[in-house]
Each structure stands twice: as C-alpha cells, then as structure tokens.
C-alpha cells in the first residue's frame, strides 16, 4: 500500500465542486445526526514567532440517504494549519499553510497527504454554496463579493453551482486584485467592480475579508439578501455591523467555534448578541429540522436578510479530502510513495 501525495495543483484539479458541495452537505448532515466525531479545534500559540498552529481532526459517517452517491461512506483525517503573520516579509513564505492527512478509518492507513490550503478554499466555497442553497431566494441571479482575495474565487465557483448567477459585483480596496478577479471571470459572468453597498444589494453576498472593524451595515444590503460571512476565523474579527446581525436571521456552522472565532464572536462576547438571536445551525436546516428560505410557491420559511456564519469545520476538510483522493486515485494523479515502508 502506498500513500498518495497531492500538491496544490492536484487538489485543484480533483476537487470537483459539485461533488465537494455534496460531500460538505453530507458532512453537515452527519454532524447534525451525531454520525460524526469532531473534537474542538486546538491551538498552539507561538508569540515568539508571531504565529500559531491549529489542529483539526474529524471522522464522519455519511449514510446513503444523505448523499447523491450510490452508497454512503465514512472518512477520517486531520488538518494541521498555521497562521504566521511575519512569513511573507521575513521568510518569503505564505502567512497560512495547511497540510491534510487523509486516513482509512478502518485501518488508520494514511491514504493521502494533501495541500490543505487549496483544500480549505474549495471546502469553504462549498460550505457557502450549501448555505446559499438553503437560505438564498430560489431565483437568486446576482452575487456580491466583498474582498477579492483567493477565497473570493471559490465563492463564485461554488455558489454558481447552486444558483444561476448572471451578475457579479466585487468590492475591494485593492484595485489590482479586483482587476485580476474580473479578468478571471468576465468570459463567464457579467462581472464588474462596485462599492460595498452595490455588492450587498445583490441577491447573495459573500464577505471574505480579515477586518476587525465591520465594513457592511444594514443600509448596505437588500431586503432579502443572503450573506455568507466567511472572513472571521479568529477572535476579534468582525465583518458585519452588530445591528445588521441583530436584525437578520443568523445561521451558524458550529456554536462553539462561531462564538469563539466566527462572525458573531465580538457581539456575542459583549452580550449584544445572545443565543436567542441565533436561528440555528446549518445542519438543522439541511436535515429539515428547521425551515430554510421561504419558497416561491408559498412554502413557509425564513424571509428577509439571512446570515451564514461560517468558521470552517474539520468535517468539511475530511469530506473534501475524500473527494480529492477518490478522484485523484481513479485518474492516476499525484505521486504515490511508500511512507510507512510497507510496499513489497
């Protein structure tokens, strides 16, 4: 048996977005139905290096009725990721790097070692797509994006998989990044630069910035805009104004992570936002325990502005890693090597 080594290009090539979205939906379902095990994300703070390590392990068992695949599946793995803010200037390295170990749950054999950074972008886009499918108006055709960094690309790729997106408005202070984004997609969508308010008045808005002072206010969004708040991944980060959050229907991915490091962490710590202001977790909506967006046919559900607070869960990484590994293995992609010295 050999372990498959998959670099960023391999992950990008084999992370078929439709399958990643289905896998992440299955992960949310397994988690809600107690068919997943996900210990809390652990941190190793390294102030001497102005950085930290984070470990994210998970196991999930997705049943046949909860996937578009012919059969159910289970998977296990762990992502080891860092945030070292001095890396670009001092070491010519990225601030964030991730490594995913994907294992056979039955034997614990390491099936693959994957680039975790590209994997994270793919599963983050897929999580937004699952939430958009449940919470955006059914006929949504416009997408606004605040923040034109690397995460913005998979936001559009994934959300366009679940809604017929025609118009895209991207807002960022960095004009070069906006131009690069437009160049990447102008042959597929009506895409243009715009203000935060123009982006926010689209049917769907994804915010992917690292800010600590909110940049989106209630006046910046439409009456029925669905917002994917994807940027907050650490304590103190905060993209959406408190009054926007308090007036919206807020859906989270995981209570512990969101209240510690998600979009709601700042107002929650201050007591401005409480558990009574949280509608529920996305898994509850996916499995049908809570209604999602009201349908055009009069089906009961949520109306008005909705917010999905996504912190990124280890179950999503494992689900996406399975898709990448299975696809790469079937297509003879990547580099197989005898990590454990067991090959004959």
């Amino acid at each position: 048996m050999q372990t498959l080594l998959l670099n960023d290009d391999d992950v990008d090539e084999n992370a078929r977005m439709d399958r990643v979205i289905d896998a992440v939906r299955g992960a949310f379902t397994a988690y809600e139905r107690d068919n997943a095990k996900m210990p809390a994300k652990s941190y190793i703070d390294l102030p001497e290096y102005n950085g930290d390590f984070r470990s994210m392990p998970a196991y999930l068992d997705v049943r046949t009725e909860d996937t578009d695949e012919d059969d159910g599946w289970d998977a296990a793995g762990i992502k080891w990721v860092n945030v070292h803010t001095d890396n670009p200037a001092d070491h010519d390295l990225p601030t964030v790097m991730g490594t995913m170990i994907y294992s056979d749950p039955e034997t614990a054999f390491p099936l693959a070692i994957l680039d975790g950074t590209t994997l994270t972008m793919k599963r983050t886009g897929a999580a937004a797509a699952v939430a958009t499918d449940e919470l955006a108006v059914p006929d949504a055709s416009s997408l606004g994006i605040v923040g034109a960094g690397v995460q913005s690309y998979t936001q559009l790729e994934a959300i366009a998989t679940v809604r017929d997106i025609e118009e895209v408005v991207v807002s960022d202070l960095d004009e070069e990044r906006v131009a690069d984004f437009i160049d990447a997609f102008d042959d597929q969508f009506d895409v243009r630069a715009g203000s935060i308010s123009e982006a926010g008045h689209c049917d769907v808005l994804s915010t992917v910035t690292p800010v600590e002072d909110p940049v989106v206010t209630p006046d910046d969004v439409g009456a029925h805009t669905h917002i994917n708040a994807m940027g907050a991944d650490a304590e103190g980060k905060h993209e959406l104004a408190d009054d926007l959050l308090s007036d919206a229907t807020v859906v989270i991915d995981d209570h512990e992570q969101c209240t510690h490091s998600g979009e709601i962490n700042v107002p929650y710590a201050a007591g401005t936002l409480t558990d009574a202001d949280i509608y529920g977790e996305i898994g509850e909506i996916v499995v049908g325990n809570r209604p999602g967006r009201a349908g055009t046919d009069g089906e009961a559900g949520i109306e008005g502005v909705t917010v999905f607070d996504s912190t990124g869960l280890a179950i999503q990484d494992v689900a996406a890693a399975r898709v990448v590994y299975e696809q790469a293995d079937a297509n003879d992609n990547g580099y197989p090597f005898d990590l454990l010295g067991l090959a004959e």
Side-chain angles (χ1 to χ4, degrees):
M1 297 181 68
Q2 300 206 45
T3 301
L4 196 59
L5 181 65
L6 299 165
N7 67 14
D8 58 339
D9 288 336
D10 295 323
V11 173
D12 183 55
E13 179 179 350
N14 290 285
R16 274 185 43 190
M17 188 53 79
D18 58 338
R19 290 195 59 203
V20 175
I21 292 170
D22 178 60
V24 169
R25 184 185 298 275
F28 285 139
T29 301
Y31 191 47
E32 174 63 24
R33 291 183 172 162
D34 291 328
N35 294 330
K37 300 175 182 179
M38 186 178 68
K41 182 190 300 185
S42 64
Y43 292 79
I44 299 175
D45 291 319
L46 299 171
E48 60 269 39
Y49 297 118
N50 199 18
D52 65 57
F53 286 111
R54 306 165 190 195
S55 64
M56 301 173 64
Y59 165 79
L60 57 152
D61 181 7
V62 177
R63 308 297 167 86
T64 301
E65 61 269 23
D66 296 325
T67 177
D68 288 340
E69 298 186 34
D70 293 335
D71 297 298
W73 49 271
D74 66 346
I78 182 169
K79 187 170 75 175
W80 179 244
V81 63
N82 76 293
V83 178
H84 282 58
T85 56
D86 295 337
N87 269 0
D90 294 351
H91 305 289
D92 196 26
L93 288 170
T95 300
V96 178
M97 295 176 284
T99 301
M100 183 77 195
I101 302 173
Y102 177 67
S103 303
D104 182 336
E106 182 178 2
T107 67
F109 185 84
L111 297 170
I113 298 175
L114 306 81
D115 167 53
T117 305
T118 303
L119 187 78
T120 299
M121 291 189 293
K122 295 290 185 176
R123 63 83 153 146
T124 302
V130 172
T132 298
D133 204 25
E134 299 289 348
L135 298 171
V137 292
D139 59 352
S141 61
S142 59
L143 170 65
I145 299 177
V146 176
V150 292
Q151 290 282 2
S152 63
Y153 291 74
T154 50
Q155 288 294 301
L156 176 51
E157 178 190 1
I159 291 169
T161 304
V162 299
R163 287 293 189 273
D164 292 326
I165 299 299
E166 299 172 0
E167 178 187 5
V168 181
V169 181
V170 58
S171 180
D172 195 298
L173 295 175
D174 189 325
E175 295 182 0
E176 184 176 349
R177 291 205 300 186
V178 171
D180 289 343
F181 182 90
I182 293 173
D183 286 344
F185 292 108
D186 63 358
D187 61 339
Q188 302 173 59
F189 305 95
D190 175 13
V191 55
R192 63 180 177 86
S195 66
I196 289 176
S197 183
E198 288 174 299
H201 278 83
C202 291
D203 298 320
V204 181
L205 171 67
S206 286
T207 58
V208 281
T209 72
V211 299
E212 296 188 357
D213 294 320
V215 293
V216 184
T217 71
D219 291 338
D220 291 325
V221 300
H224 303 286
T225 301
H226 166 63
I227 306 169
N228 297 303
M230 314 302 288
D233 62 354
E235 191 174 356
K237 290 188 177 181
H238 192 19
E239 298 182 289
L240 311 180
D242 289 355
D243 48 354
L244 171 55
L245 288 168
S246 61
D247 291 342
T249 299
V250 176
V251 176
I252 60 178
D253 60 9
D254 176 74
H255 187 275
E256 182 173 354
Q257 283 197 189
C258 286
T259 54
H260 174 268
S261 56
E263 176 57 37
I264 65 172
N265 84 90
V266 174
Y268 191 87
T272 305
L273 200 75
T274 69
D275 287 343
D277 300 305
I278 300 171
Y279 179 73
E281 294 188 356
I282 187 65
E284 297 177 85
I285 298 174
V286 168
V287 303
N289 290 341
R290 289 183 184 271
R293 174 71 65 169
T296 54
D297 57 357
E299 181 183 0
I302 304 168
E303 298 181 347
V305 176
T306 53
V307 173
F308 174 51
D309 180 0
S310 175
T311 56
L313 305 179
I315 53 171
Q316 299 168 21
D317 295 306
V318 172
R322 175 185 175 271
V323 171
V324 172
Y325 169 72
E326 299 263 332
Q327 189 80 5
D329 188 51
N331 294 324
D332 292 327
N333 295 148
Y335 174 71
F337 67 108
D338 187 14
L339 176 66
L340 303 184
L342 301 176
E344 296 181 358

